[in-house]
Amino acid sequence: MGESNRNIVKRITDYVEDHLEDDLRLDKIAEELHYSKFYLARIFAGETGCTIYKYIQGRRLTLAAGKLVETEKAIVEIAYEAHYGSQQAFTLAFEQLYLCTPQEYRKRGSFYPVQPELGIQNAQNGFLYVYKGAVGSLFAGHIRAACRKEGAAA
């Protein structure tokens, strides 16, 4: 009998978390975990409702949001560290997730992880995928609304 989908998702997220600073291509993840990229993509999306690419992008943008608030690094440097080829591409992706520009987010001075690390918890009738550190399903919506308000007030 093969490995459970839950274990495969855990192995994927563990690998992603350990290599967020590296070039994370689906082919490389599949090679390291000894599965086809199509199988991994299907299992991950089917179990989590999110593609591996979107998970990686969200995690990198969340780490970048932390750096915006916690460091004085130039935004372009943070963009390159998050694997974006330009500050413009980074700003567009950041704005889609946080609904404000990196500059506006930095001015706010508060870090809110919109895409925390994915974890697995046992439930009474199986298991649940949860975001570590998230405070319920309205968490991201609350942060986005706060960001929008501050952007409108600026």
Side-chain angles (χ1 to χ4, degrees), residues 95-148:
E95 201 165 6
Q96 284 182 339
L97 190 62
Y98 280 90
L99 299 179
C100 61
T101 66
Q103 294 86 346
E104 293 165 341
Y105 190 84
R106 177 172 265 172
K107 278 184 198 174
R108 252 190 27 225
S110 297
F111 170 60
Y112 298 102
V114 170
Q115 177 73 60
E117 180 182 346
L118 184 66
I120 301 171
Q121 288 185 345
N122 289 327
Q124 192 170 23
N125 296 324
F127 56 90
L128 298 169
Y129 291 101
V130 296
Y131 289 103
K132 297 177 183 177
V135 187
S137 61
L138 296 177
F139 184 67
H142 171 71
I143 293 160
R144 289 180 177 147
C147 210
R148 218 177 299 133

Side-chain angles (χ1 to χ4, degrees), residues 61-79 81 87 90 94 98 100-111:
L61 288 169
T62 297
L63 294 177
K67 290 177 185 178
L68 286 167
V69 172
E70 297 162 4
T71 72
E72 294 294 321
K73 285 184 180 181
I75 292 172
V76 69
E77 186 179 344
I78 293 171
E81 288 175 359
Q87 184 174 340
F90 172 72
F94 190 91
Y98 280 90
C100 61
T101 66
Q103 294 86 346
E104 293 165 341
Y105 190 84
R106 177 172 265 172
K107 278 184 198 174
R108 252 190 27 225
S110 297
F111 170 60

